[in-house]
Amino acid sequence: MSKSNRQMKLGAFFMIPGHHVAAWRHPESAAEDVQQFHLYKHLAEQAEKGKFDMIFFADGYAINDKLESAIEHTVTVRPDPLMLLAAISAVTTKIGLTATVSTTYNEPYHVARKFASLDHLSGGRAAWNVVTSGQNAEALNFNRKEHLKHGLRYERAEEFVNVVKKLWDSWEDDAIIVDKKAGRFAEPSKVHEVNHNGDWFSVKGPLNVSRPVQGHPVIVQAGSSEAGIELAAKIAEVIFTAWQTIEEAQNFYKNVKGKLSKYGRSHDDLKIMPGVFPIVGKTEEEAHEKQALLRELIPEKAGVGLLSSLISYDLSPYPVEGPLPDLPHISEINGGKSRFKLLKDIADREQLTIRQLYQHIAGARGHREIKGTPVQIADQLQEWFENEAADGFNIMPPYLPGGLDDFVELVIPELQKRGLFRTEYDGNTLREHLGLKRPLSSFSKEHSIG
C-alpha cells in the first residue's frame, strides 16, 4: 500500500475500569461492574462499531503485595482474558480478540490449545500478546521463590512461542475430512508429532485442536528492551510499545523494522502500535477539566504504589514532594527494563517530584498522554503515523465506558474524514484487518519447497 492511501491500525486496549489508576473513582466509570459480562459486551460492541482492528486485554498473575494500598485503593480484580474473549466472540463478528498470556508461568501446550480454540470459535480473530511477566509476586503464586532473570525470561519466551507455533502446525489445513460413509474423520498422514526437545521444553504433540483459522493467531509482543526488540523482530507481528516523543518513536520504529530482514521478514510483516492515552473534549477547556479531575482523584498511596510497581522499586519510604531517590542501575532491575528507563528519563528530563511523576503517568503508565479536541487528537495521531513513528496505535481509554465512547464517537469520524482509518471492515479475520499474511504450516509441502 502506498504512503498516500495507507491507513492506520487501531487497537482498543482495555484495563478495567480504565487505564487511569483512579479511573474507578470517576463518577462515570463502571467500577461496580468489573466482573459483569454486560460491561465487556458493551465495550466490545462499541469498539466494533468504531471499526477497531482489535480489542486488547492486559493481564497479570498477582496482586502487588508490597504495598497494602494496592487492594485498598486500586482495582485488582479482573476476569481471565481468554475466558472473557471466548464469550465476547459470540457477540461480535469482525473485531480481533487479543489476550495477554505469560510465557513465564504457563506451558506451551496449554497456550497453543487455548488460542487455537479461540481462533476457531471466533472465525479467525484471535491474537496472543506474548509477555514474560514483570513482578516477583507472580513467582510466589507459581511454586517459585523468585522471578526468573530478565534474559532467561526472554530465552524461555522465544522457545515457548516456537513450540506453540509447531503445535498449531501439527494438523495440516486439510487434515480433517469427515467422510462419514467411509468412517474417516481425519487423514493420519496429515497430523504430525512435533517432538520438540529444547533447553526449556519437551513436547511430543500433536495438538488436540486442528490448525487455527488464521494458520497462527496473530502474535503481539509488548517489550521494548534490547531483548524484547530482538524477540519482536524474530516472532512478533504486532508490537505494543511506549514512547513519549516522536523522535524516540521514530528511532524505535527504524530500529525494529531494520532488524526484520535478518530473520527473512519484510517491512510490512510487523505492525508497530504505540500506546496512546487520549483525553478527548469537545473543547480544549473540557479536555483540560477532564484531565484535572482524574489527577485530583489519585489517592497518594495508589500513586506511589503504581509508580513503584512500574519501576520495580519501592518508593513508599520517600517523601512524595521530593525527587526520585538514587535508583539501582538498569542492569540490576529484574522487572520491565524499558519502562524503568522511560520513567526515570521523564523524571530527570522534567525535574519531577515523586508526586508529579505519578500524576504524570497515572493514566498512560509511561505511554503517551494526549488531550484536546477531536481535531487536535487526530492531528497528533496523524503526525506520528505519517512520519514513520507508528503503523497505528493502541488506544488506552482513561475510564470506561465513557473514555472509549468519546474516542469512537468523536475521534474516529475525524480520522475517517481524513482517509486515515477504515469506514468498514474489508475482511473477516484479524490478519486481514492488519494486512498480515497467513503463514504456511511448517509441515506443508509448500513450506518445504520454499
Side-chain angles (χ1 to χ4, degrees):
M1 183 176 287
S2 68
K3 190 171 182 179
S4 61
N5 60 2
R6 176 172 162 257
Q7 290 189 325
M8 66 177 62
K9 311 302 178 185
L10 290 179
F13 179 22
F14 296 143
M15 187 171 284
I16 307 300
H19 276 273
H20 198 278
V21 70
W24 69 274
R25 298 186 68 197
H26 194 284
E28 297 176 20
S29 82
E32 64 280 358
D33 296 329
V34 295
Q35 296 183 102
Q36 301 299 314
F37 181 65
H38 65 84
L39 169 61
Y40 299 94
K41 179 176 181 288
H42 169 79
L43 296 175
E45 290 175 337
Q46 186 73 335
E48 190 166 69
K49 174 185 171 185
K51 313 303 178 188
F52 275 82
D53 293 81
M54 59 186 175
I55 56 177
F56 183 120
F57 283 98
D59 198 28
Y61 302 144
I63 292 173
N64 187 342
D65 58 356
K66 289 185 178 179
L67 296 164
E68 62 184 29
S69 60
I71 291 174
E72 184 176 5
H73 297 301
T74 64
V75 176
T76 52
V77 296
R78 58 172 64 92
D80 179 275
L82 275 166
M83 294 187 70
L84 187 56
L85 289 172
I88 287 173
S89 73
V91 296
T92 55
T93 59
K94 297 284 189 180
I95 198 163
L97 309 171
T98 305
T100 298
V101 174
S102 172
T103 59
T104 307
Y105 301 114
N106 284 288
E107 289 290 323
Y109 197 94
H110 286 138
V111 171
R113 188 172 188 236
K114 290 173 182 178
F115 278 100
S117 299
L118 179 61
D119 207 50
H120 282 291
L121 290 171
S122 65
R125 295 186 282 135
W128 171 23
N129 178 38
V130 178
V131 299
T132 64
S133 294
Q135 295 186 44
N136 198 58
E138 292 173 292
L140 303 179
N141 290 335
F142 287 87
N143 201 35
R144 298 182 186 176
K145 292 183 179 179
E146 62 181 10
H147 202 29
L148 272 177
K149 295 301 180 184
H150 187 270
L152 292 177
R153 295 203 305 272
Y154 278 94
E155 287 179 18
R156 177 186 166 100
E158 183 177 349
E159 186 177 332
F160 193 114
V161 174
N162 287 336
V163 177
V164 168
K165 288 181 175 180
K166 290 178 183 178
L167 289 166
W168 286 336
D169 286 347
S170 61
W171 288 67
E172 294 185 37
D173 287 321
D174 56 352
I176 294 180
I177 52 180
V178 194
D179 186 339
K180 294 182 179 180
K181 190 171 182 179
R184 300 180 69 238
F185 177 75
E187 171 53 56
S189 67
K190 295 187 176 184
V191 181
H192 307 274
E193 293 179 358
V194 302
N195 293 319
H196 177 89
N197 287 287
D199 294 333
W200 293 94
F201 305 106
S202 176
V203 179
K204 181 184 177 185
L207 197 61
N208 60 348
V209 180
S210 65
R211 194 160 194 253
V213 175
Q214 297 182 100
H216 300 164
V218 173
I219 299 292
V220 182
Q221 199 264 337
S224 300
S225 65
E226 282 304 314
I229 290 170
E230 205 65 37
L231 183 64
K234 289 181 184 178
I235 66 158
E237 295 169 296
V238 174
I239 186 163
F240 178 39
T241 185
W243 300 106
Q244 292 290 314
T245 69
I246 189 170
E247 292 80 15
E248 291 171 322
Q250 287 171 324
N251 288 336
F252 178 80
Y253 189 96
K254 183 178 180 181
N255 185 11
V256 177
K257 296 277 189 175
K259 291 179 181 292
L260 294 176
S261 60
K262 182 166 63 170
Y263 300 107
R265 308 180 67 198
S266 70
H267 183 277
D268 291 332
D269 288 341
L270 173 63
K271 310 299 179 184
I272 296 177
M273 299 173 63
V276 172
F277 177 90
I279 301 176
V280 187
K282 292 180 180 176
T283 64
E284 286 186 58
E285 182 181 10
E286 183 182 65
H288 181 75
E289 289 171 353
K290 287 183 175 182
Q291 181 187 59
L293 173 60
L294 286 165
R295 291 187 172 183
E296 287 170 10
L297 294 174
I298 305 171
E300 182 178 299
K301 287 183 179 180
V304 172
L306 172 66
L307 185 55
S308 298
S309 175
L310 289 173
I311 66 171
S312 303
Y313 190 85
D314 186 1
L315 296 171
S316 59
Y318 300 95
V320 295
E321 303 306 341
L324 285 177
D326 290 334
L327 297 174
H329 189 269
I330 191 169
S331 63
E332 300 174 45
I333 295 297
N334 195 30
K337 289 181 183 291
S338 59
R339 193 56 51 87
F340 172 89
K341 182 178 186 304
L342 185 146
L343 297 182
K344 185 175 184 303
D345 286 349
I346 292 173
D348 292 345
R349 183 172 61 240
E350 302 185 25
Q351 295 294 296
L352 301 180
T353 65
I354 290 175
R355 185 190 302 280
Q356 288 169 331
L357 184 58
Y358 79 59
Q359 288 178 334
H360 185 74
I361 59 90
R365 301 167 193 252
H367 294 272
R368 183 181 175 216
E369 179 174 317
I370 57 179
K371 68 172 180 174
T373 65
V375 168
Q376 291 170 329
I377 298 290
D379 285 345
Q380 294 176 79
L381 298 180
Q382 183 172 359
E383 180 189 17
W384 280 40
F385 176 65
E386 291 186 342
N387 289 282
E388 297 192 324
D391 295 310
F393 304 91
N394 274 302
I395 303 303
M396 305 165 60
Y399 65 95
L400 293 166
L404 176 66
D405 294 341
D406 286 344
F407 196 88
V408 169
E409 294 165 12
L410 300 173
V411 180
I412 292 283
E414 181 63 30
L415 294 173
Q416 290 170 331
K417 184 172 73 174
R418 301 180 188 198
L420 293 170
F421 191 62
R422 69 171 64 86
T423 55
E424 293 295 338
Y425 291 105
D426 294 324
N428 296 306
T429 70
L430 179 54
R431 286 189 175 277
E432 289 172 322
H433 302 340
L434 294 171
L436 296 170
K437 294 177 289 191
R438 186 180 189 273
L440 292 172
S441 167
S442 54
F443 292 101
S444 70
K445 292 185 177 65
E446 293 91 339
H447 188 276
S448 299
I449 293 169

